[in-house]
C-alpha cells in the first residue's frame, strides 16, 4: 500500500468513535484524590476535607481502564479505533509513544461523581518522520460527563510509527515537540520546540520580547511558575504578570549524560534556579563548565538564540561564581 493510499484510508477514521459509552471504573473518590496529591506533592487545601474537589488534572485518572486493559467493558473501546490501530500495525507502524495531552475543565469533579465518557478519533496526521521513526500522529478527544453534563475534555495524541534503526538513541520528548511542528522535516541539530498552549502562551510571548514573565495571582498576590490556569494558594483564576529581574541562584541541578542526540552536547548541567522573586525555574546553566555548577551559585538570566525561531531563557553563572 503506497503512502498516499494509506493516508486516505487513515483519514477516513477521523470523526469515528474510539470509545462509546465508557464508564469510569470507580466514582470520583477521596482515597484516589489523596494518593494522587501525595504522589504529586500537592498540598492544595481544595483537595481535602468535606468540600474537597478532585485535582482537575486527575481527569484522565477517572476514565482509565486499569489492568483490565484495552477491550475492558469499562473503556467502551470502539471497533473503529481497533481497526485504525490494526491498519497502522499492518503498515509497519507497530510502535507507539504517547506524545502529549490537552485538557479542558468545565466544572470541578467531587467525590461521588460518576463519570461517563465518549472518545472520538479527532485527527490522523500525514506521514511524519521523527527521530523515533516514521509514522502517523493519531489524536483522540474524550468528552467526560457526569449526569449527562459535560465536565471536561481530554485530547490525547500518540505517534504510531515504524521504529528507526537508531531509535534506541532517540527521546520521546523529541516526538512530543515534533507533534506541534507543521512539517516533518527537522534539520539535524535543531533543538526541540517548546510546547506552547493556551496556558503558557503568555510566557512564550514574553520570551519573544526578551522578558521573563512570572504569573501573579490577582486575589492573593502569590507568584507562580511554571504558568498555570489557577492559583495553587487560593484557587483564583485571575492573574497578571511581573517581569523577573533576572537574578537568581542555583537551588539544585543535575548533569545530563545521555546517548548522542543532535540538539544537545552531553554532558551538560540543568539547573533548578530560584529567582530573586522566589519562584523556581528549570533551565540551562551556562558560562561555567558542567562540573563546576554548585548549589547556591549566583546566576543571571539571559536569552540564548538557538535558531531563527527559537530563543530560550538560560542562566549564566555570575562573575566570580565559579
Ligand atoms: Zn491566589
Amino acid at each position: 500500500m503506497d503512502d498516499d493510499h494509506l493516508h486516505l484510508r487513515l483519514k477516513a477514521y477521523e470523526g469515528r468513535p474510539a470509545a462509546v459509552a465508557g464508564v469510569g471504573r470507580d466514582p470520583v473518590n477521596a482515597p484516589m484524590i489523596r494518593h494522587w496529591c501525595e504522589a504529586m506533592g500537592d498540598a492544595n487545601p481544595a483537595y481535602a476535607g468535606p468540600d474537597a474537589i478532585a485535582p482537575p488534572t486527575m481527569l484522565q485518572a477517572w476514565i482509565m481502564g486499569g489492568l483490565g486493559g484495552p477491550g475492558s467493558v469499562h473503556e467502551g473501546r470502539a471497533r473503529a479505533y481497533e481497526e485504525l490501530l490494526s491498519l497502522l500495525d499492518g503498515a509497519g507502524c507497530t510502535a507507539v509513544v504517547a506524545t502529549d495531552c490537552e485538557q479542558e475543565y468545565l466544572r470541578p469533579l467531587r467525590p461521588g461523581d460518576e463519570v461517563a465518557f465518549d472518545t472520538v478519533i479527532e485527527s490522523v496526521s500525514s506521514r511524519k518522520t521523527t527521530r523515533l521513526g516514521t509514522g502517523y500522529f493519531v489524536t483522540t478527544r474524550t468528552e467526560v460527563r457526569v449526569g449527562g453534563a459535560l465536565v471536561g475534555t481530554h485530547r490525547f495524541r500518540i505517534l504510531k510509527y515504524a521504529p528507526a534503526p537508531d531509535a534506541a538513541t532517540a527521546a520521546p520528548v523529541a516526538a512530543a515537540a515534533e507533534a506541534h511542528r507543521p512539517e516533518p522535516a527537522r534539520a539535524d541539530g535543531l533543538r526541540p520546540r517548546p510546547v506552547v498552549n493556551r496556558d503558557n502562551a503568555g510566557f512564550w510571548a514574553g520570551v519573544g520580547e526578551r522578558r521573563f514573565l512570572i504569573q501573579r495571582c490577582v486575589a492573593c498576590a502569590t507568584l507562580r511558575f511554571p504558568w498555570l490556569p489557577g492559583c495553587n494558594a487560593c484557587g483564583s483564576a485571575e492573574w497578571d504578570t511581573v517581569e523577573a529581574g533576572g537574578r537568581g541562584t542555583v537551588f539544585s541541578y543535575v548533569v545530563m549524560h545521555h546517548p548522542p542526540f543532535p540538539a544537545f552536547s552531553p554532558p551538560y548541567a540543568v539547573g533548578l534556579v530560584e529567582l530573586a522573586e522566589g519562584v523556581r525555574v528549570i533551565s540551562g546553566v551556562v558560562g561555567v563548565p558542567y562540573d563546576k555548577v554548585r548549589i547556591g551559585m549566583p546566576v543571571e538570566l539571559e536569552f540564548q538564540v538557538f535558531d531563527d525561531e527559537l530563543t530560550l531563557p538560560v542562566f549564566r553563572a555570575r562573575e566570580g561564581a565559579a
Side-chain angles (χ1 to χ4, degrees), residues 246-250 269 271 273 283-302 304 314-322:
R247 289 284 173 119
T249 53
V250 174
V273 172
S283 184
V285 178
V286 302
V288 60
Y290 70 89
D291 57 355
K292 294 288 189 281
V293 175
R294 291 290 179 269
I295 289 172
M297 173 181 280
V299 291
E300 180 114 40
L301 172 71
E302 68 177 40
Q304 185 172 344
V314 297
F315 289 86
R316 179 170 294 277
R318 287 217 298 270
E319 233 160 275

Side-chain angles (χ1 to χ4, degrees), residues 216-224 230-238:
R216 177 174 56 193
C217 175
V218 167
C220 76
T222 300
L223 299 179
R224 63 179 187 265
C231 175
N232 269 347
C234 78
S236 170
E238 301 297 315

Side-chain angles (χ1 to χ4, degrees), residues 206-218:
V207 170
E209 300 168 350
R210 304 291 194 275
R211 303 168 71 209
F212 190 106
L213 298 178
I214 303 166
Q215 274 180 310
R216 177 174 56 193
C217 175
V218 167

Side-chain angles (χ1 to χ4, degrees), residues 36-99:
W36 173 283
C37 289
E38 287 178 2
M40 296 293 173
D42 192 336
N44 190 323
Y47 307 144
D51 299 319
I53 62 168
T57 48
M58 281 189 80
L59 189 64
Q60 191 188 10
W62 309 118
I63 61 173
M64 293 181 93
L67 295 178
S72 110
V73 291
H74 301 289
E75 273 194 319
R77 192 117 157 199
R79 182 182 298 260
Y81 193 55
E82 302 290 352
E83 284 175 10
L84 173 61
L85 298 182
S86 297
L87 196 55
L88 286 162
D89 284 337
C93 297
T94 52
V96 64
V97 61
T99 61

